[in-house]
Amino acid sequence: MRRILYLGYYLTDTDWQLFRKFFNYVREKNKVGSIRLIMDVLISSVRHNCSLLDYFYFRFYEIDELEKSNYAGTGYMYEFQKKMNPPESRSILRDKRIFLVKYDPYIKHGHVTLSQLEKDSSLAFDILSNPSERVVLKDAEGQCGNGIKVLSVEGLNGEILIDQLRKSGNNLVEEFIVQHSDLQRLAPNGLNTVRIVTQLLARGEVEIVTARLRMTVDANVDNLAAGNIAAPVDVVTGKVSGPAVYSDITKSTETRHPRTGTVLADFQIPYWQETLDMIRKAAQTHSDNRSIGWDIAITQVGPELLEGNHDWCNLLWQLP
């Protein structure tokens, strides 16, 4: 019965424009009838507790039932993450304003909230004086890069910054992070980040579940949903260990960055050991949340945290 309820949720929450795009692509590519494909989508959703789009993301139309059972669908992830990161302890991850305070030892870039600026607009001075000469406006509870706005600091002051935040619907401004030169050469259109998922075990040990390198293509945010690519990373070496993928199933995998032509295989992420050391410490800092997807920036002087996700993406983990 619970799986049927999940199916009802998926039917109301699906991006139907994207569903039609994937559905028509698979129907034409595999020469399969519409009714047969629809039935397979619905049956797979109930049997494997996955969303209607998960069916296409995970290419269930190409694999057998045994292989399908190896994938963690949207429903499974919801139940798992609710258990690992209880709703009452998630706020330090869900709200970036709280996160920046709670994980301050691992954060190097400047930041200030809208409410702080409204009380004292002179707080804008330091963040507008940052060496990148850019700032990033964010919604403290936003996800997938939605609503993010990058501004040049030229002509800005405290009052104008407050106005820009209000107009854009954002409530947090951060210093624009200048990434390591190796990552800048790889993908220069935006900040490229490392996603590491940690699991805090019963005795407090930290298990690294997965590591991924997210690369910008034509967007200034690196999320898969924005049309970017992600590649698997060898946890031991910090080197890219396979081709990069899109979440769009109509696109092929990439062995080189599609804009710079940089070969992805064996690309070394700088400061890898320092990154692992930082993440293991961060994962033990607030043990009420046991399964966290960390977004990490690598700068010329080392790694730093951007955010931690209680509902880390099952696509970024499983597609590469």
Side-chain angles (χ1 to χ4, degrees):
M1 176 57 70
R2 184 165 58 180
R3 295 289 177 88
I4 298 297
L5 293 175
Y6 272 114
L7 178 58
Y9 169 76
Y10 299 144
L11 288 168
T12 59
D13 192 58
T14 295
D15 179 341
W16 289 106
Q17 183 176 353
L18 186 59
F19 179 91
R20 284 191 291 271
K21 176 183 177 179
F22 288 174
F23 185 89
N24 292 332
Y25 172 79
V26 171
R27 185 185 59 185
E28 294 171 10
K29 178 185 176 184
N30 290 11
K31 308 300 181 186
V32 60
S34 296
I35 294 178
R36 180 182 174 186
L37 183 55
I38 288 172
M39 291 304 299
D40 196 35
V41 171
L42 296 176
I43 291 170
S44 293
S45 176
V46 173
R47 184 172 292 165
H48 300 286
N49 202 4
C50 65
S51 73
L52 307 188
L53 288 174
D54 283 347
Y55 175 91
F56 298 102
Y57 288 134
F58 300 146
R59 289 169 169 78
F60 276 9
Y61 49 86
E62 294 179 345
I63 59 179
D64 60 26
E65 290 300 311
L66 181 60
E67 190 171 354
K68 288 179 184 178
S69 67
N70 290 326
Y71 282 90
T74 296
Y76 174 88
M77 294 298 294
Y78 170 77
E79 294 175 357
F80 171 76
Q81 290 166 341
K82 186 177 181 181
K83 181 178 181 180
M84 292 297 104
N85 310 314
E88 61 270 17
S89 63
R90 291 179 174 186
S91 61
I92 64 172
L93 302 174
R94 186 175 60 245
D95 190 319
K96 296 177 181 64
R97 293 165 296 190
I98 302 174
F99 178 86
L100 291 167
V101 173
K102 296 291 187 180
Y103 291 92
D104 178 72
Y106 315 108
I107 294 163
K108 300 172 184 176
H109 63 281
H111 49 86
V112 64
T113 67
L114 174 59
S115 61
Q116 289 172 328
L117 285 172
E118 288 172 333
K119 293 176 183 176
D120 182 2
S121 62
S122 68
L123 293 173
F125 177 79
D126 286 342
I127 201 162
L128 292 176
S129 302
N130 81 79
S132 75
E133 298 184 338
R134 285 173 285 179
V135 291
V136 183
L137 310 187
K138 295 181 177 180
D139 177 358
E141 296 189 55
Q143 294 186 327
C144 300
N146 294 329
I148 285 179
K149 194 172 182 180
V150 179
L151 300 177
S152 168
V153 301
E154 185 177 358
L156 292 182
N157 58 32
E159 294 303 322
I160 295 174
L161 191 55
I162 290 170
D163 185 59
Q164 288 287 337
L165 282 164
R166 290 170 176 166
K167 286 181 177 177
S168 64
N170 290 303
N171 51 19
L172 175 66
V173 56
E174 297 183 344
E175 172 186 339
F176 184 91
I177 296 173
V178 178
Q179 65 191 338
H180 193 282
S181 55
D182 289 352
L183 290 165
Q184 181 67 17
R185 285 191 293 269
L186 170 66
N189 278 0
L191 180 64
N192 308 290
T193 63
V194 177
R195 165 66 61 84
I196 294 179
V197 177
T198 58
Q199 179 70 36
L200 192 61
L201 304 180
R203 295 183 179 180
E205 303 99 327
V206 177
E207 179 180 349
I208 306 293
V209 177
T210 188
R212 300 288 184 253
L213 176 60
R214 304 195 299 183
M215 292 162 275
T216 57
V217 179
D218 295 317
N220 60 13
V221 293
D222 61 359
N223 306 79
L224 283 175
N228 297 302
I229 54 177
V233 175
D234 184 289
V235 172
V236 175
T237 66
K239 292 183 177 181
V240 172
S241 57
V245 301
Y246 298 91
S247 61
D248 186 340
I249 66 169
T250 68
K251 295 183 177 180
S252 301
T253 58
E254 303 280 7
T255 57
R256 293 174 177 266
H257 189 277
R259 296 294 173 263
T260 64
T262 303
V263 175
L264 299 178
D266 292 328
F267 176 86
Q268 178 67 60
I269 297 173
Y271 292 109
W272 186 248
Q273 190 55 54
E274 292 86 345
T275 299
L276 293 181
D277 291 344
M278 177 187 72
I279 285 304
R280 289 192 174 101
K281 291 175 183 177
Q284 294 173 319
T285 301
H286 297 283
S287 58
D288 287 345
N289 296 301
R290 295 168 55 197
S291 182
I292 300 175
W294 306 96
D295 290 341
I296 305 144
I298 310 294
T299 73
Q300 209 65 35
V301 295
E304 67 165 302
L305 285 183
L306 293 177
E307 60 185 44
N309 300 274
H310 67 84
D311 54 351
W312 50 271
C313 180
N314 64 337
L315 301 184
L316 183 58
W317 165 39
Q318 294 174 106
L319 294 189

